[in-house]
Amino acid sequence: MNNRIGIRHEDKYLMERRVPIVPIDAEVLSKKQNIDIIIESSQKRIFSDDEYIQNGLSVTDNINDADVIIGVKEIPIEKIRQNKIYVFFSHVIKGQAYNMPMLKKMMEMKCSLIDYEKITDDQGRRLIFFGRFAGLAGMINTLWSLGQRYKVLGIDTPFKLMRQAHTYSSLDEAISDVKQLAELIKKDGLPQETLPFVGAFTGYGNVSKGAWEIFDLLPHKSISPEELSGLKPDKHLIYKVVFKEQDLSERIQGDFDLNHYYENPSEYKDKFGNYLQHFNFVVNGMYWDERYPRIISKENLKALTESEQLKLCVIGDITCDPNGSVECTHKGTEIEDPVFVYNPVDGSHNMGFKGEGVCVMAVDILPSELPRE
């Protein structure tokens, strides 16, 4: 054992530019803690090779002689080496089938895996997470998607000034555009055919709170789900509705009970779908697994489309569970090809903003759209 840590180049996605240890922290670990750290060279990493070199770190094309290899996303199977300690988001703790071959290979190679999701405090709360940044980038992308999708539909909206999150040089630059958007809504308003303009948010954890940070810069009014029917159109604001567990699902027999819901999810059915016809957009930021009711089913979308009640323009599916809580999210999308349009009538998916149906933004590495932050 040489007690050397290697920081790997991220290679799962073309646009994955994050790094687990930034240059200034790597320098502190190296000089003050006397830890030998080597950096795998990367042409796309948000912190350049030169930034690490300027902080006294060694940059190399090969980190195979490091005992501990730290990354952000999963390690490709062919790059797993014998007896290494790996630290990254492995996406295996729910038994995710697509990563079981990687886990099996690591076991065969007698490796140790430290998963960021399992680094917790004494109360079991996670200490390492990107939820807030997923929410920030996801909301920026949802606003951008609204502008692009409405444009395709022939509706001119102020959302058209927004850009995809990764095109901004910083979060502050993106926030500047959101504030400009807010002023346009206050001054000129939103198109009559989109009113009342309603945004629904699921969940209230780090992801959703990150999305609220962006959205709350816009002129808005918070309402309860019960207030959705009978809303008065106001072109100078957006109605915000936050859905909690009791708003998303209802007990098949009896009253809703939060503890009972978590212990017996099969005894509950979807309630969110009852409100779906009111929304211009949905931002999905909640935890979900297959034990719980879906919030947006293909059947519901089809019924609303056939009855001409589907107002929904964009789904910002930040949680990005394929065929999950949003059933029409058939896959996670990439930063360079981030949206598709789902046709509820024939069940087809068309990449981009064109087509009949609902636009879905489902980038599954959203935090990497704000990599420096």
mmCIF file of all heavy atoms in Angstrom, residues 269-293:
data_model
loop_
_atom_site.group_PDB
_atom_site.id
_atom_site.type_symbol
_atom_site.label_atom_id
_atom_site.label_comp_id
_atom_site.label_asym_id
_atom_site.label_seq_id
_atom_site.Cartn_x
_atom_site.Cartn_y
_atom_site.Cartn_z
ATOM 1 N N LYS A 269 -53.600 5.050 -3.483
ATOM 2 C CA LYS A 269 -53.679 5.259 -4.933
ATOM 3 C C LYS A 269 -53.339 6.704 -5.264
ATOM 4 O O LYS A 269 -53.337 7.577 -4.389
ATOM 5 C CB LYS A 269 -55.069 4.903 -5.457
ATOM 6 C CG LYS A 269 -56.180 5.788 -4.900
ATOM 7 C CD LYS A 269 -57.539 5.384 -5.479
ATOM 8 C CE LYS A 269 -58.654 6.282 -4.936
ATOM 9 N NZ LYS A 269 -59.977 5.937 -5.513
ATOM 10 N N ASP A 270 -53.082 6.939 -6.534
ATOM 11 C CA ASP A 270 -52.686 8.277 -6.978
ATOM 12 C C ASP A 270 -53.804 9.297 -6.756
ATOM 13 O O ASP A 270 -54.973 9.030 -6.999
ATOM 14 C CB ASP A 270 -52.325 8.242 -8.462
ATOM 15 C CG ASP A 270 -52.186 9.630 -9.060
ATOM 16 O OD1 ASP A 270 -51.388 10.418 -8.518
ATOM 17 O OD2 ASP A 270 -52.894 9.936 -10.037
ATOM 18 N N LYS A 271 -53.411 10.469 -6.302
ATOM 19 C CA LYS A 271 -54.337 11.597 -6.140
ATOM 20 C C LYS A 271 -53.887 12.778 -6.995
ATOM 21 O O LYS A 271 -54.695 13.603 -7.416
ATOM 22 C CB LYS A 271 -54.385 12.000 -4.663
ATOM 23 C CG LYS A 271 -55.349 13.118 -4.311
ATOM 24 C CD LYS A 271 -55.308 13.406 -2.801
ATOM 25 C CE LYS A 271 -56.223 14.536 -2.412
ATOM 26 N NZ LYS A 271 -56.134 14.830 -0.955
ATOM 27 N N PHE A 272 -52.575 12.851 -7.263
ATOM 28 C CA PHE A 272 -51.998 13.951 -8.036
ATOM 29 C C PHE A 272 -52.663 14.081 -9.406
ATOM 30 O O PHE A 272 -52.876 15.185 -9.909
ATOM 31 C CB PHE A 272 -50.496 13.713 -8.198
ATOM 32 C CG PHE A 272 -49.741 14.813 -8.889
ATOM 33 C CD1 PHE A 272 -49.381 15.970 -8.216
ATOM 34 C CD2 PHE A 272 -49.369 14.693 -10.226
ATOM 35 C CE1 PHE A 272 -48.672 16.982 -8.840
ATOM 36 C CE2 PHE A 272 -48.663 15.693 -10.856
ATOM 37 C CZ PHE A 272 -48.312 16.844 -10.166
ATOM 38 N N GLY A 273 -52.986 12.933 -9.997
ATOM 39 C CA GLY A 273 -53.596 12.948 -11.326
ATOM 40 C C GLY A 273 -54.903 13.699 -11.395
ATOM 41 O O GLY A 273 -55.299 14.179 -12.468
ATOM 42 N N ASN A 274 -55.577 13.842 -10.256
ATOM 43 C CA ASN A 274 -56.844 14.577 -10.224
ATOM 44 C C ASN A 274 -56.653 16.063 -10.517
ATOM 45 O O ASN A 274 -57.602 16.760 -10.890
ATOM 46 C CB ASN A 274 -57.509 14.430 -8.852
ATOM 47 C CG ASN A 274 -57.862 12.987 -8.519
ATOM 48 O OD1 ASN A 274 -58.023 12.163 -9.413
ATOM 49 N ND2 ASN A 274 -57.964 12.677 -7.235
ATOM 50 N N TYR A 275 -55.425 16.547 -10.321
ATOM 51 C CA TYR A 275 -55.142 17.976 -10.504
ATOM 52 C C TYR A 275 -54.398 18.272 -11.815
ATOM 53 O O TYR A 275 -54.152 19.430 -12.129
ATOM 54 C CB TYR A 275 -54.275 18.481 -9.346
ATOM 55 C CG TYR A 275 -54.836 18.252 -7.967
ATOM 56 C CD1 TYR A 275 -54.306 17.269 -7.130
ATOM 57 C CD2 TYR A 275 -55.898 19.019 -7.485
ATOM 58 C CE1 TYR A 275 -54.811 17.062 -5.845
ATOM 59 C CE2 TYR A 275 -56.406 18.818 -6.205
ATOM 60 C CZ TYR A 275 -55.853 17.838 -5.398
ATOM 61 O OH TYR A 275 -56.355 17.647 -4.128
ATOM 62 N N LEU A 276 -54.028 17.233 -12.533
ATOM 63 C CA LEU A 276 -53.077 17.368 -13.633
ATOM 64 C C LEU A 276 -53.530 18.335 -14.727
ATOM 65 O O LEU A 276 -52.703 19.013 -15.356
ATOM 66 C CB LEU A 276 -52.795 15.987 -14.239
ATOM 67 C CG LEU A 276 -51.551 15.818 -15.094
ATOM 68 C CD1 LEU A 276 -50.290 16.211 -14.338
ATOM 69 C CD2 LEU A 276 -51.440 14.369 -15.588
ATOM 70 N N GLN A 277 -54.819 18.430 -14.943
ATOM 71 C CA GLN A 277 -55.316 19.275 -16.029
ATOM 72 C C GLN A 277 -55.093 20.763 -15.782
ATOM 73 O O GLN A 277 -55.229 21.578 -16.697
ATOM 74 C CB GLN A 277 -56.807 19.015 -16.273
ATOM 75 C CG GLN A 277 -57.740 19.558 -15.188
ATOM 76 C CD GLN A 277 -58.027 18.532 -14.121
ATOM 77 O OE1 GLN A 277 -57.257 17.599 -13.913
ATOM 78 N NE2 GLN A 277 -59.171 18.686 -13.445
ATOM 79 N N HIS A 278 -54.703 21.141 -14.560
ATOM 80 C CA HIS A 278 -54.536 22.558 -14.221
ATOM 81 C C HIS A 278 -53.133 23.090 -14.507
ATOM 82 O O HIS A 278 -52.931 24.312 -14.503
ATOM 83 C CB HIS A 278 -54.832 22.779 -12.731
ATOM 84 C CG HIS A 278 -56.239 22.464 -12.328
ATOM 85 N ND1 HIS A 278 -57.314 23.247 -12.682
ATOM 86 C CD2 HIS A 278 -56.741 21.439 -11.591
ATOM 87 C CE1 HIS A 278 -58.421 22.736 -12.182
ATOM 88 N NE2 HIS A 278 -58.098 21.630 -11.508
ATOM 89 N N PHE A 279 -52.173 22.211 -14.737
ATOM 90 C CA PHE A 279 -50.774 22.637 -14.724
ATOM 91 C C PHE A 279 -50.228 23.002 -16.101
ATOM 92 O O PHE A 279 -50.502 22.337 -17.091
ATOM 93 C CB PHE A 279 -49.878 21.535 -14.145
ATOM 94 C CG PHE A 279 -50.327 21.004 -12.818
ATOM 95 C CD1 PHE A 279 -50.262 19.645 -12.534
ATOM 96 C CD2 PHE A 279 -50.816 21.863 -11.838
ATOM 97 C CE1 PHE A 279 -50.682 19.148 -11.321
ATOM 98 C CE2 PHE A 279 -51.238 21.374 -10.612
ATOM 99 C CZ PHE A 279 -51.174 20.001 -10.359
ATOM 100 N N ASN A 280 -49.406 24.070 -16.119
ATOM 101 C CA ASN A 280 -48.588 24.381 -17.294
ATOM 102 C C ASN A 280 -47.280 23.601 -17.250
ATOM 103 O O ASN A 280 -46.746 23.205 -18.282
ATOM 104 C CB ASN A 280 -48.273 25.873 -17.369
ATOM 105 C CG ASN A 280 -49.513 26.725 -17.531
ATOM 106 O OD1 ASN A 280 -50.260 26.922 -16.576
ATOM 107 N ND2 ASN A 280 -49.746 27.231 -18.744
ATOM 108 N N PHE A 281 -46.752 23.421 -16.046
ATOM 109 C CA PHE A 281 -45.540 22.620 -15.894
ATOM 110 C C PHE A 281 -45.541 21.909 -14.553
ATOM 111 O O PHE A 281 -46.192 22.337 -13.597
ATOM 112 C CB PHE A 281 -44.267 23.469 -16.063
ATOM 113 C CG PHE A 281 -44.001 24.451 -14.945
ATOM 114 C CD1 PHE A 281 -43.281 24.083 -13.816
ATOM 115 C CD2 PHE A 281 -44.455 25.765 -15.035
ATOM 116 C CE1 PHE A 281 -43.024 24.985 -12.796
ATOM 117 C CE2 PHE A 281 -44.203 26.682 -14.024
ATOM 118 C CZ PHE A 281 -43.480 26.288 -12.896
ATOM 119 N N VAL A 282 -44.802 20.813 -14.517
ATOM 120 C CA VAL A 282 -44.599 20.048 -13.286
ATOM 121 C C VAL A 282 -43.104 19.884 -13.081
ATOM 122 O O VAL A 282 -42.379 19.529 -14.019
ATOM 123 C CB VAL A 282 -45.260 18.656 -13.361
ATOM 124 C CG1 VAL A 282 -44.872 17.807 -12.145
ATOM 125 C CG2 VAL A 282 -46.777 18.766 -13.473
ATOM 126 N N VAL A 283 -42.628 20.162 -11.882
ATOM 127 C CA VAL A 283 -41.249 19.887 -11.505
ATOM 128 C C VAL A 283 -41.278 18.757 -10.479
ATOM 129 O O VAL A 283 -41.786 18.934 -9.375
ATOM 130 C CB VAL A 283 -40.544 21.134 -10.934
ATOM 131 C CG1 VAL A 283 -39.162 20.769 -10.398
ATOM 132 C CG2 VAL A 283 -40.418 22.207 -12.009
ATOM 133 N N ASN A 284 -40.752 17.613 -10.873
ATOM 134 C CA ASN A 284 -40.815 16.420 -10.031
ATOM 135 C C ASN A 284 -39.499 16.250 -9.276
ATOM 136 O O ASN A 284 -38.473 15.916 -9.868
ATOM 137 C CB ASN A 284 -41.095 15.190 -10.896
ATOM 138 C CG ASN A 284 -41.265 13.931 -10.067
ATOM 139 O OD1 ASN A 284 -41.698 13.990 -8.916
ATOM 140 N ND2 ASN A 284 -40.924 12.791 -10.640
ATOM 141 N N GLY A 285 -39.543 16.480 -7.962
ATOM 142 C CA GLY A 285 -38.326 16.408 -7.170
ATOM 143 C C GLY A 285 -38.435 15.493 -5.973
ATOM 144 O O GLY A 285 -37.671 15.612 -5.024
ATOM 145 N N MET A 286 -39.366 14.539 -6.008
ATOM 146 C CA MET A 286 -39.611 13.698 -4.836
ATOM 147 C C MET A 286 -38.906 12.352 -4.958
ATOM 148 O O MET A 286 -38.565 11.894 -6.055
ATOM 149 C CB MET A 286 -41.108 13.461 -4.657
ATOM 150 C CG MET A 286 -41.718 12.577 -5.741
ATOM 151 S SD MET A 286 -43.457 12.253 -5.423
ATOM 152 C CE MET A 286 -43.747 10.868 -6.523
ATOM 153 N N TYR A 287 -38.721 11.709 -3.816
ATOM 154 C CA TYR A 287 -38.225 10.331 -3.804
ATOM 155 C C TYR A 287 -39.361 9.403 -4.226
ATOM 156 O O TYR A 287 -40.517 9.607 -3.860
ATOM 157 C CB TYR A 287 -37.731 9.940 -2.415
ATOM 158 C CG TYR A 287 -37.396 8.464 -2.309
ATOM 159 C CD1 TYR A 287 -36.155 7.995 -2.722
ATOM 160 C CD2 TYR A 287 -38.332 7.547 -1.833
ATOM 161 C CE1 TYR A 287 -35.847 6.640 -2.662
ATOM 162 C CE2 TYR A 287 -38.033 6.196 -1.766
ATOM 163 C CZ TYR A 287 -36.784 5.748 -2.178
ATOM 164 O OH TYR A 287 -36.491 4.403 -2.124
ATOM 165 N N TRP A 288 -39.028 8.369 -4.996
ATOM 166 C CA TRP A 288 -40.042 7.394 -5.408
ATOM 167 C C TRP A 288 -39.388 6.043 -5.609
ATOM 168 O O TRP A 288 -38.246 5.951 -6.075
ATOM 169 C CB TRP A 288 -40.709 7.842 -6.708
ATOM 170 C CG TRP A 288 -41.849 6.948 -7.150
ATOM 171 C CD1 TRP A 288 -43.151 7.052 -6.786
ATOM 172 C CD2 TRP A 288 -41.767 5.820 -8.040
ATOM 173 N NE1 TRP A 288 -43.905 6.067 -7.386
ATOM 174 C CE2 TRP A 288 -43.070 5.291 -8.159
ATOM 175 C CE3 TRP A 288 -40.736 5.211 -8.743
ATOM 176 C CZ2 TRP A 288 -43.361 4.185 -8.953
ATOM 177 C CZ3 TRP A 288 -41.017 4.099 -9.529
ATOM 178 C CH2 TRP A 288 -42.315 3.601 -9.639
ATOM 179 N N ASP A 289 -40.101 4.980 -5.248
ATOM 180 C CA ASP A 289 -39.736 3.641 -5.711
ATOM 181 C C ASP A 289 -41.021 2.913 -6.071
ATOM 182 O O ASP A 289 -42.131 3.424 -5.867
ATOM 183 C CB ASP A 289 -38.871 2.881 -4.690
ATOM 184 C CG ASP A 289 -39.595 2.560 -3.395
ATOM 185 O OD1 ASP A 289 -40.764 2.105 -3.453
ATOM 186 O OD2 ASP A 289 -39.006 2.752 -2.319
ATOM 187 N N GLU A 290 -40.885 1.730 -6.634
ATOM 188 C CA GLU A 290 -42.014 1.056 -7.274
ATOM 189 C C GLU A 290 -43.124 0.632 -6.313
ATOM 190 O O GLU A 290 -44.209 0.229 -6.745
ATOM 191 C CB GLU A 290 -41.519 -0.164 -8.046
ATOM 192 C CG GLU A 290 -40.836 -1.204 -7.191
ATOM 193 C CD GLU A 290 -40.246 -2.332 -8.009
ATOM 194 O OE1 GLU A 290 -40.219 -2.226 -9.248
ATOM 195 O OE2 GLU A 290 -39.806 -3.318 -7.398
ATOM 196 N N ARG A 291 -42.905 0.743 -5.018
ATOM 197 C CA ARG A 291 -43.964 0.406 -4.056
ATOM 198 C C ARG A 291 -45.059 1.472 -4.027
ATOM 199 O O ARG A 291 -46.178 1.204 -3.598
ATOM 200 C CB ARG A 291 -43.381 0.247 -2.654
ATOM 201 C CG ARG A 291 -42.369 -0.864 -2.494
ATOM 202 C CD ARG A 291 -41.751 -0.808 -1.111
ATOM 203 N NE ARG A 291 -41.072 0.472 -0.899
ATOM 204 C CZ ARG A 291 -40.909 1.036 0.293
ATOM 205 N NH1 ARG A 291 -41.389 0.455 1.386
ATOM 206 N NH2 ARG A 291 -40.270 2.187 0.397
ATOM 207 N N TYR A 292 -44.741 2.683 -4.471
ATOM 208 C CA TYR A 292 -45.661 3.817 -4.325
ATOM 209 C C TYR A 292 -46.433 4.084 -5.616
ATOM 210 O O TYR A 292 -45.972 3.749 -6.717
ATOM 211 C CB TYR A 292 -44.872 5.065 -3.918
ATOM 212 C CG TYR A 292 -44.223 4.932 -2.561
ATOM 213 C CD1 TYR A 292 -42.919 4.463 -2.430
ATOM 214 C CD2 TYR A 292 -44.928 5.239 -1.405
ATOM 215 C CE1 TYR A 292 -42.329 4.318 -1.188
ATOM 216 C CE2 TYR A 292 -44.356 5.096 -0.149
ATOM 217 C CZ TYR A 292 -43.049 4.637 -0.047
ATOM 218 O OH TYR A 292 -42.477 4.479 1.187
ATOM 219 N N PRO A 293 -47.594 4.722 -5.511
ATOM 220 C CA PRO A 293 -48.355 5.065 -6.721
ATOM 221 C C PRO A 293 -47.582 6.056 -7.592
ATOM 222 O O PRO A 293 -46.851 6.905 -7.091
ATOM 223 C CB PRO A 293 -49.630 5.721 -6.160
ATOM 224 C CG PRO A 293 -49.714 5.289 -4.737
ATOM 225 C CD PRO A 293 -48.301 5.117 -4.277
#
